[in-house]
Amino acid sequence: SYAEHALALLNRLKCKEVESRTVFLVYNYTAHWSRPMQSCMKPLLKGYKIGLSTGDIQSAMYCAFFFCEFCFHTGMALSLVDENMTMYSEQMDSFGQWHTLQGFKLIHQVVRILRGNAGSNDGTGAILNGDIMEQESTLKKLLDSGDNFMVSFVHRYRFVLACYLGDYQTGADLAFQWTDVCSKQAPGQPC
């Protein structure tokens, strides 16, 4: 695969300046489709450390983001995921990585809700409100900035949360609502 070729080339050239970004792209976008997600986590942590050491802060923060998301999806104890996310959130904020932090807050809020520490469900669907973020103000900021990808991320985690909370009908309804919205988008527009 191209991902394997990218890693082999990276290893052969020993080019640290692009290593964090390459690791992020390979392990987030391709490797987890052909390998167990758990096997992608250690390389993402390595990519995070290399990014910090070379000054590639954006790639380092993306590696941290997806490391934590993979921790969440692979069943790591929510208390540990929460602890990691708190640490990386502070770093994202201090490095001014606003875009990365917004998506990270979504997952972090889901973790907090599932831990029973924060959040709400209004009976019509999972709402991403709590001590990490407030759904409507976050959606407004994302819509105002034209970030349709992150808007879709909010909706994705709403129906995921509904399912985790055992409200499968609401989860399905939210997924179908978002599918209907996406089907009306102009071709080539992210949803």
Side-chain angles (χ1 to χ4, degrees):
S1 77
Y2 286 113
E4 296 302 323
H5 290 300
L7 292 174
L9 186 59
L10 185 64
N11 191 37
R12 199 168 74 215
L13 296 176
K14 307 265 188 247
C15 186
K16 289 284 185 196
E17 292 78 25
V18 296
E19 188 168 356
S20 183
R21 182 157 185 80
T22 303
V23 165
F24 152 64
L25 293 170
V26 165
Y27 288 96
N28 178 55
Y29 290 111
T30 62
H32 72 281
W33 290 99
S34 59
R35 302 176 186 179
M37 194 176 273
Q38 291 91 336
S39 71
C40 299
M41 293 161 61
K42 189 173 182 179
L44 284 168
L45 273 182
K46 181 181 177 191
Y48 158 76
K49 292 173 184 173
I50 290 168
L52 288 180
S53 71
T54 61
D56 185 357
I57 302 302
Q58 183 179 37
S59 296
M61 294 299 105
Y62 278 131
C63 285
F65 180 113
F66 290 102
F67 167 75
C68 288
E69 186 173 19
F70 288 10
C71 288
F72 174 68
H73 290 304
T74 58
M76 181 182 279
L78 290 175
S79 59
L80 294 175
V81 177
D82 191 3
E83 187 179 304
N84 282 330
M85 294 189 93
T86 298
M87 178 189 68
Y88 291 123
S89 291
E90 291 168 1
Q91 289 182 1
M92 288 174 193
D93 187 44
S94 70
F95 285 124
Q97 297 294 304
W98 183 85
H99 186 264
T100 309
L101 183 57
Q102 297 315 299
F104 202 65
K105 284 181 176 182
L106 295 169
I107 303 166
H108 199 178
Q109 188 61 60
V110 170
V111 168
R112 290 278 173 97
I113 292 169
L114 291 174
R115 291 190 69 203
N117 294 347
S120 63
N121 185 321
D122 68 355
T124 63
I127 307 299
L128 299 173
N129 288 341
D131 59 336
I132 302 296
M133 64 166 280
E134 193 277 319
Q135 179 178 296
E136 290 310 310
S137 65
T138 299
L139 270 173
K140 182 177 178 354
K141 287 177 194 172
L142 294 170
L143 287 167
D144 289 349
S145 70
D147 192 340
N148 292 333
F149 176 78
M150 289 304 292
V151 169
S152 71
F153 209 59
V154 171
H155 293 292
R156 175 181 140 202
Y157 270 98
R158 283 191 68 212
F159 63 76
V160 165
L161 180 59
C163 291
Y164 277 139
L165 295 173
D167 190 355
Y168 304 112
Q169 185 60 52
T170 298
D173 291 345
L174 288 167
F176 283 120
Q177 284 172 6
W178 191 242
T179 301
D180 290 343
V181 167
C182 292
S183 69
K184 295 174 185 159
Q185 292 278 7
Q189 290 293 314
C191 188

